[in-house]
Amino acid sequence: MSGNGTTAGDDPLQTAVWRLRSRGCWGDAAALLLPATPAAALQRASLLVERCLYTEEGWEEAEDALRTAEALAHSDDERGAAACERGYLAYAATLLAVRDRADEARAALGRAAALIPPGVPQRALLDFRRGLLAENLTSAPQAARAAYRRAHAGATAHADPLLLSFTWRHLAGLALREGEVAEARHGFAESLRIREELGYLVGTAPALVSLADTETEPEASRLREEARRLYRLLGGVPTWLARRLSPAPPAATA
């Protein structure tokens, strides 16, 4: 997950990339980008990394794209951003039990932290991803909460609504674990509202399911049925949502 879901200046290319990405068509979106510059190579790699997390497929293509982005990176900002994507790919592989790459994820995100200074827009995304590691790989909810709050503040300061939808969602998830249902409901509702406003369809079904976990009947069933409809519409993406739509307890998600 990266980018804010907007198309500054109505750039036709970025508009097309966002529309495809928001509908779960990461491969088609990546095909529009020629990896001839560091920025384009990084954006292409981030799309393919995100596809891995949502589909549990495409790992080799993501690795190839990431190596290209790393080779083209020259400035600290570019190297830091590439390291952030490297850490996120390793995190996804570990979370989804493809291969244990937790040490690689920690090292890459640590390297990114040394290259990306506080206060810049990319730092908010890095803070969020470090929170994911703390929550889902290290089982350190307090460290995760602190990282999510830093990311939330950065996303607010730099007007990154898509990232805000993720920080709201994960802060709400921690609140729900602690029995703070009203706080969790508010956070999940904010996440859903932002995703619907952005047209981020591939992230809307998970937001509906999370909000349903805080509601009573019949609202909870209505939200889950809407999530099932979207899930089917998008061809079963994200794949891990199938576990959330079943009677089994919800698993950690990204």
Side-chain angles (χ1 to χ4, degrees):
M1 189 288 304
S2 60
N4 60 17
T6 61
T7 52
D10 294 324
D11 181 322
L13 174 60
Q14 291 302 320
T15 298
V17 168
W18 167 251
R19 286 176 176 169
L20 288 166
R21 175 193 176 192
S22 66
R23 288 159 176 77
C25 302
W26 296 277
D28 291 338
L32 298 178
L33 299 166
L34 296 176
T37 66
L42 181 67
Q43 186 180 13
R44 184 173 182 275
S46 72
L47 288 166
L48 296 175
V49 169
E50 187 173 82
R51 180 178 67 177
C52 292
L53 190 63
Y54 278 74
T55 69
E56 305 181 55
E57 296 178 348
W59 301 95
E60 286 302 321
E61 191 175 359
E63 288 281 1
D64 289 345
L66 188 50
R67 281 192 289 267
T68 298
E70 290 167 336
L72 289 174
H74 297 299
S75 69
D76 282 352
D77 284 348
E78 291 164 356
R79 285 192 290 268
C84 188
E85 292 301 328
R86 168 67 62 189
Y88 196 44
L89 182 62
Y91 162 78
T94 307
L95 183 74
L96 298 172
V98 175
R99 183 158 62 91
D100 186 350
R101 297 172 60 179
D103 289 343
E104 180 187 352
R106 293 187 190 95
L109 294 185
R111 186 164 63 252
L115 292 167
I116 301 173
V120 302
Q122 297 94 324
R123 186 70 185 210
L125 179 62
L126 172 61
D127 284 336
F128 173 72
R129 289 176 173 176
R130 296 180 88 182
L132 291 176
L133 258 69
E135 180 182 4
N136 294 324
L137 301 190
T138 312
S139 298
Q142 295 305 319
R145 180 180 288 104
Y148 292 150
R149 284 176 173 166
R150 290 194 299 272
H152 192 84
T156 301
H158 297 289
D160 188 338
L162 183 58
L163 181 55
L164 268 179
S165 83
F166 279 88
T167 55
W168 273 121
R169 172 171 162 76
H170 282 268
L171 284 168
L174 292 176
L176 187 60
R177 287 186 188 181
E178 295 179 353
E180 300 293 337
V181 178
E183 180 183 344
R185 183 183 299 116
H186 173 71
F188 288 140
E190 283 297 298
S191 178
L192 176 60
R193 176 187 62 79
I194 293 170
R195 292 179 181 198
E196 288 180 334
E197 288 178 356
L198 292 175
Y200 188 55
L201 288 182
V202 76
T204 299
L208 287 163
V209 172
S210 293
L211 182 57
D213 290 341
T214 69
E215 294 286 358
T216 56
E217 296 296 350
E219 180 65 7
S221 290
R222 186 193 70 79
L223 290 167
R224 289 192 180 95
E225 185 53 39
E226 177 64 11
R228 289 187 186 94
R229 186 187 69 80
L230 276 174
Y231 178 73
R232 291 192 295 266
L233 180 67
L234 293 171
V237 175
T239 52
W240 42 258
L241 191 60
R243 298 188 289 274
R244 297 292 306 272
L245 291 170
S246 72
T253 61

